[in-house]
Amino acid sequence: MYRILTFIFFLFSPLFLLGQTPGQRTLIFLERADMMHGANKDQIAYLRNPTFRHDNARLFCDSAVFYKERNYFEAFGNVHINQADTLNIYSDLLNYDGNKKLAHLEKNVRMVDKNNSTLTTNVLDYNMATRIGTYVNGGKIVTKDVTITSKRGWYFANTRDAFFRYDVLVTNPESTIKSDTLRYNTLSNWAYFYGPTNIKNKKNENLYTENGVYNTKTENAVFGKNNLYTTGSKSLKGDSLFYDGKRGYGKAVKNIVFKDTVDDFTLKGNLGEYFRDIEKILVTKNPYVAMVSDDSVMVDNKKIADTLWLGADTLESQMVLQKTLKLLAKPVIKKDNEVGSEDEKAKQEREKEKAEARKALTATGNKERNATTIAPKSKNRKDAKSLDDKPGTVVPISADTTIKQKLTDTLSKHAPPAIKDTANTKAIKIDKELKADSSKKLQDKKTGNTQQALTKAVVKDSLVSPADTIRTRVIKAYHNVKVFKHNLQAKADSLFFAAADSTLRWYKNPILWTDSTQQTGDTINVFLKNKKIHSFQIIENGFIANQQSDTSKFNQIKGKLITGFFNDGQMRDLYVDGNAESIYFTKNNKGDIDNLNQTVSSRIRFKFKDKKINQITMVKEIDGAVNPADKLPKESFLTGFTWKPELRPANKDEIIKGKPKKTVKNQPPTKPAVKDSKPKTVNSKSIDSIPLTAKPKTIVKDIEIKKPVN
């Protein structure tokens, strides 16, 4: 039998080797088989444990049916294809066409390359010439770095590229990718996206794109269409997005938008950088911020929220520990027309509570001492309880009651009205604040430990302030800072904003405009409360100029510290402290200016009504003069006066797009180089017939007076 098989093998071998010249089809070569039988008429051979060779590939199986004329065979059981010693394919069934060099594999298909990247599926078509494997009924590729599943897939063995379509899922220890269309290189670990894609990692970050690349090993990403990065309440998008996942660094280019839904914060621009670990965003090209306020403005007879628009050459926003900031307290009006702060007011209220608590504690101690002599002795605790139930009876505190409990019970019974409703919590707080006074009076006779030691322990445990862990948003703006809000506009070189105290701080040549009033100084702070303008303070060299309507005359105020308070978006009160000076004009019933008032005082208070000064109150060291209309000087300015309306932002478009360039209109036509038979027309009218505009009214601007005019 063995001789017969050997004879048949050598008989067919020359036929298998025919046609192997370049450019022509190659024949399948049967290297060996344990058993072979068939019909020579049909040239069909039935083989057991055969080994085939075709070009640079060898094919093995348990059994096969070989069709010599068709250059085709069917393989069954433990099918194995080895191509160029770099690729191995396994399955239960195989149909192989030697003419087309196509292998159709079914059941438990597994393709493994030399880097141990494994493709598994139930049905696979593999082209031996192009070395491309295709599946259409679901498959999975597993490498040392990732696992990829999809409904359809194409694997390119030459380039180690894999192309996936529909329900693509890429998983690795660091991230999960869901995509519609994806290409992945198992050698370089780069993934290429051609459809909606989400990348989510263990840091709670999600990257979305519809066109881009991502490296599953280095976590670098470059996105180019509908890109969005999100982490928690924060998001960043732009026309182009670059992200380094390991460093937590991102860069967005053109039409970028950074949002924080918790802070209701939006930052836009055309070039931005994001630093994940320090929660910082930096925008350096056309940046601006939109901060929604609760102030309302009428637009088309409808009330809408008035947004504060902030722009600069560079904008930076970051989440920082609140304890690292020097927060500002909002100014408040104290008695005698003095300006204080909310911190001072709160401190006074706390001192008042302490004094009342001390008084109650002292009264309680006196009653207890009297009770030790007045109260009848009780034989047991039941009697003591009954005595306590009787109105007007004072029961002495038993010796075994803890000192802390004594103080708490005492304060809860004798607390003043302000703390009576929450006696348990307030009493402990007061216990801490009064530890120095109460420790000497209260002492545990059994243990000898003083109340002072107990109180110190309690206070020590409560020293952890919320500010030690609370993070808050800050905004920094550098160079050409501009702000537009319907009831406030501003310009400065730099700005700082902290959400913790809701205060805008302007530095270096700041100018603030409200209605027809301009404020300048070394530093200007604007305080917001409940998303509304609450007040402002001008610190050092404060100067306020208020233009009289339809005139070139100005009401002027200057001082070391100027504080203004707002009500419903309009200035209500203005306080000037420290070398306060003012010039203001009064009008008669006809609306004509009749007097010029000049005042000097330690403190001046101005009350506004309908955007005009309504009342003036001068406090301490008052000096002044009144000049009638016929003796008014031509120019009346205080030292340091300046008026620059051309710098005032006119609308939000100036914040977003910048101030428009000035264009010259209605200029006389230049003489044409060549005479035309007909004059040039604009809107069907001769340009010569268009009248020039009337001469504009004279307005004062860019005036700086170094010396006062007498």
Side-chain angles (χ1 to χ4, degrees):
M1 184 65 182
Y2 178 78
R3 292 180 179 179
I4 296 174
L5 292 174
T6 304
F7 173 77
I8 295 174
F9 173 76
F10 284 105
L11 179 67
F12 284 95
S13 292
L15 297 176
F16 295 155
L17 296 173
L18 292 176
Q20 293 186 5
T21 58
Q24 297 180 358
R25 73 175 186 172
T26 56
L27 299 179
I28 300 172
F29 180 75
L30 177 64
E31 287 188 340
R32 63 173 299 278
D34 289 348
M35 185 175 181
M36 176 176 167
H37 63 89
N40 291 335
K41 182 179 180 182
D42 298 325
Q43 294 189 3
I44 300 175
Y46 299 91
L47 310 170
R48 179 178 294 176
N49 296 324
T51 299
F52 297 97
R53 179 163 54 86
H54 191 222
D55 293 343
N56 63 346
R58 301 181 72 196
L59 303 95
F60 311 88
C61 60
D62 290 347
S63 60
V65 179
F66 178 57
Y67 303 88
K68 183 180 74 68
E69 288 293 327
R70 294 170 55 190
N71 200 28
Y72 178 94
F73 72 84
E74 298 172 350
F76 308 92
N78 295 314
V79 176
H80 177 201
I81 300 175
N82 177 268
Q83 188 176 32
D85 293 327
T86 60
L87 183 72
N88 292 281
I89 307 175
Y90 307 90
S91 71
D92 292 342
L93 300 174
L94 166 67
N95 294 329
Y96 184 71
D97 188 334
N99 297 328
K100 297 180 180 179
K101 299 182 180 180
L102 293 178
H104 179 80
L105 302 103
E106 295 183 12
K107 294 185 179 180
N108 302 316
V109 181
R110 185 163 53 94
M111 177 190 289
V112 183
D113 65 16
K114 67 177 183 179
N115 290 322
N116 291 323
S117 296
T118 303
L119 165 64
T120 57
T121 183
N122 279 325
V123 179
L124 178 71
D125 291 313
Y126 181 72
N127 189 309
M128 301 285 283
T130 61
R131 302 188 71 184
I132 299 175
T134 305
Y135 63 84
V136 294
N137 294 316
K140 178 171 69 173
I141 289 182
V142 179
T143 73
K144 62 180 181 179
D145 299 310
V146 298
T147 299
I148 307 172
T149 60
S150 66
K151 283 187 176 180
R152 294 186 180 183
W154 295 260
Y155 183 77
F156 301 80
N158 286 332
T159 62
R160 310 285 173 81
D161 278 330
F163 188 83
F164 303 94
R165 193 81 169 91
Y166 307 121
D167 298 337
V168 185
L169 177 64
V170 183
T171 58
N172 68 0
E174 300 300 326
S175 62
T176 301
I177 304 173
K178 294 182 179 180
S179 181
D180 175 73
T181 306
L182 178 146
R183 177 164 65 93
Y184 185 79
N185 188 280
T186 60
L187 192 62
S188 65
N189 301 110
W190 279 103
Y192 304 81
F193 313 115
Y194 306 97
T197 303
N198 280 289
I199 305 172
K200 189 171 184 178
N201 61 23
K202 290 185 176 180
K203 304 177 186 73
N204 196 31
E205 297 174 299
N206 190 83
L207 291 162
Y208 175 84
T209 187
E210 294 178 8
N211 186 281
V213 296
Y214 176 76
N215 192 291
T216 57
K217 195 169 185 178
T218 65
E219 298 184 44
N220 290 335
V222 182
F223 296 156
K225 183 180 179 182
N226 295 334
N227 315 301
L228 177 65
Y229 164 85
T230 57
T231 175
S233 63
K234 304 172 186 63
S235 65
L236 173 66
K237 66 179 180 180
D239 289 358
S240 298
L241 188 63
F242 309 87
Y243 190 69
D244 185 336
K246 291 191 180 296
R247 292 173 54 206
Y249 169 79
K251 190 173 184 178
V253 180
K254 199 173 181 181
N255 297 319
I256 71 170
V257 179
F258 175 82
K259 285 187 178 181
D260 191 333
T261 55
V262 171
D263 294 339
D264 197 13
F265 171 79
T266 303
L267 173 58
K268 298 183 179 182
N270 285 317
L271 182 61
E273 296 176 272
Y274 176 72
F275 305 85
R276 179 194 63 210
D277 295 341
I278 58 176
E279 298 184 83
K280 174 182 173 182
I281 178 75
L282 178 69
V283 184
T284 56
K285 190 174 182 180
N286 307 118
Y288 65 94
V289 170
M291 300 172 64
V292 179
S293 73
D294 284 344
D295 285 330
S296 59
V297 62
M298 295 296 295
V299 176
D300 297 330
N301 296 324
K302 292 182 180 179
K303 275 190 176 184
I304 63 172
D306 188 10
T307 302
L308 186 147
W309 300 88
L310 166 63
D313 290 350
T314 301
L315 275 177
E316 175 186 320
S317 177
Q318 187 176 1
M319 298 296 291
V320 301
L321 286 173
Q322 185 170 307
K323 69 177 182 179
T324 62
L325 300 176
K326 185 178 180 180
L327 303 180
L328 300 179
K330 294 177 178 58
V332 294
I333 303 172
K334 301 194 297 185
K335 60 182 180 179
D336 299 328
N337 288 325
E338 290 187 4
V339 176
S341 67
E342 287 185 340
D343 284 351
E344 293 175 353
K345 187 177 180 180
K347 186 177 180 181
Q348 290 175 354
E349 291 177 353
R350 287 196 299 270
E351 290 296 332
K352 185 179 179 181
E353 285 188 5
K354 288 180 183 179
E356 292 177 350
R358 287 193 185 98
K359 186 177 179 181
L361 187 62
T362 302
T364 302
N366 293 335
K367 289 181 180 180
E368 290 173 354
R369 284 193 293 271
N370 295 334
T372 57
T373 58
I374 297 173
K377 294 182 180 181
S378 56
K379 295 181 180 180
N380 51 44
R381 292 183 179 271
K382 185 176 180 181
D383 295 333
K385 185 177 180 181
S386 63
L387 287 172
D388 189 40
D389 293 337
K390 295 179 181 180
T393 304
V394 179
V395 180
I397 300 175
S398 59
D400 59 342
T401 306
T402 62
I403 298 172
K404 181 181 175 183
Q405 200 167 7
K406 294 176 185 178
L407 182 59
T408 303
D409 294 339
T410 301
L411 290 175
S412 62
K413 289 182 179 180
H414 301 279
I419 61 172
K420 193 171 183 179
D421 293 337
T422 56
N424 291 332
T425 56
K426 293 284 186 174
I428 295 173
K429 182 179 178 182
I430 296 172
D431 177 15
K432 299 172 186 177
E433 295 175 346
L434 300 180
K435 63 182 183 297
D437 296 332
S438 61
S439 60
K440 295 180 181 180
K441 297 180 181 180
L442 301 176
Q443 185 176 8
D444 191 339
K445 295 181 180 179
K446 289 185 177 181
T447 61
N449 295 327
T450 62
Q451 175 64 16
Q452 185 176 7
L454 177 62
T455 308
K456 282 184 177 180
V458 176
V459 172
K460 185 177 180 180
D461 293 339
S462 63
L463 286 179
V464 179
S465 171
D468 292 342
T469 56
I470 291 177
R471 302 179 75 84
T472 187
R473 180 170 301 284
V474 298
I475 300 173
K476 300 176 184 178
Y478 306 100
H479 309 306
N480 298 316
V481 181
K482 293 182 179 180
V483 168
F484 176 81
K485 196 172 178 290
H486 284 87
N487 60 349
L488 179 144
Q489 300 83 44
K491 184 184 183 301
D493 178 75
S494 56
L495 175 143
F496 180 84
F497 172 80
D501 59 11
S502 301
T503 303
L504 293 159
R505 304 159 174 86
W506 276 281
Y507 303 103
K508 196 174 180 180
N509 303 320
I511 307 177
L512 188 72
W513 292 274
T514 55
D515 299 322
S516 59
T517 301
Q518 174 187 285
Q519 291 86 230
T520 57
D522 291 355
T523 301
I524 298 179
N525 297 327
V526 175
F527 301 87
L528 306 178
K529 189 172 184 179
N530 299 326
K531 295 186 177 181
K532 292 184 178 182
I533 297 178
H534 171 268
S535 54
F536 72 86
Q537 279 191 324
I538 306 174
I539 303 170
E540 295 297 333
N541 298 314
F543 202 110
I544 297 180
N546 174 261
Q547 186 178 25
Q548 293 289 308
S549 57
D550 300 327
T551 71
S552 60
K553 300 187 182 300
F554 297 84
N555 295 324
Q556 300 157 59
I557 304 167
K558 65 177 295 186
K560 289 185 177 180
L561 177 65
I562 300 178
T563 307
F565 295 90
F566 285 78
N567 187 14
D568 293 331
Q570 294 187 3
M571 193 183 300
R572 180 188 71 221
D573 294 288
L574 188 70
Y575 292 82
V576 185
D577 288 278
N579 299 329
E581 297 181 53
S582 70
I583 290 178
Y584 63 95
F585 297 88
T586 59
K587 294 182 179 181
N588 55 27
N589 294 333
K590 295 180 180 180
D592 299 326
I593 293 176
D594 57 0
N595 287 312
L596 168 64
N597 299 272
Q598 293 179 293
T599 61
V600 177
S601 178
S602 296
R603 182 183 302 120
I604 305 177
R605 175 190 180 186
F606 296 84
K607 289 189 71 67
F608 286 79
K609 185 177 182 181
D610 298 330
K611 303 179 183 180
K612 297 178 182 179
I613 296 175
N614 182 53
Q615 181 182 339
I616 301 174
T617 303
M618 288 166 283
V619 184
K620 297 180 182 179
E621 302 175 10
I622 302 169
D623 189 13
V626 178
N627 295 321
D630 56 348
K631 294 183 179 181
L632 291 179
K634 292 182 179 179
E635 293 181 341
S636 302
F637 300 106
L638 295 174
T639 305
F641 175 87
T642 181
W643 183 253
K644 296 184 177 181
E646 73 279 4
L647 300 179
R648 184 176 190 174
N651 49 53
K652 72 174 184 180
D653 290 338
E654 288 192 19
I655 307 300
I656 299 173
K657 303 176 183 178
K659 202 173 185 70
K661 295 181 179 180
K662 294 182 179 179
T663 57
V664 180
K665 298 181 180 180
N666 297 328
Q667 290 292 327
T670 58
K671 188 176 181 180
V674 180
K675 292 183 179 180
D676 297 330
S677 57
K678 294 182 180 180
K680 294 182 179 180
T681 61
V682 178
N683 295 332
S684 302
K685 291 183 179 181
S686 172
I687 195 168
D688 295 329
S689 65
I690 299 176
L692 295 175
T693 57
K695 186 177 180 181
K697 295 181 180 179
T698 303
I699 60 172
V700 180
K701 55 174 143 181
D702 295 327
I703 298 177
E704 291 190 6
I705 307 297
K706 300 299 182 182
K707 295 182 180 180
V709 179
N710 295 326

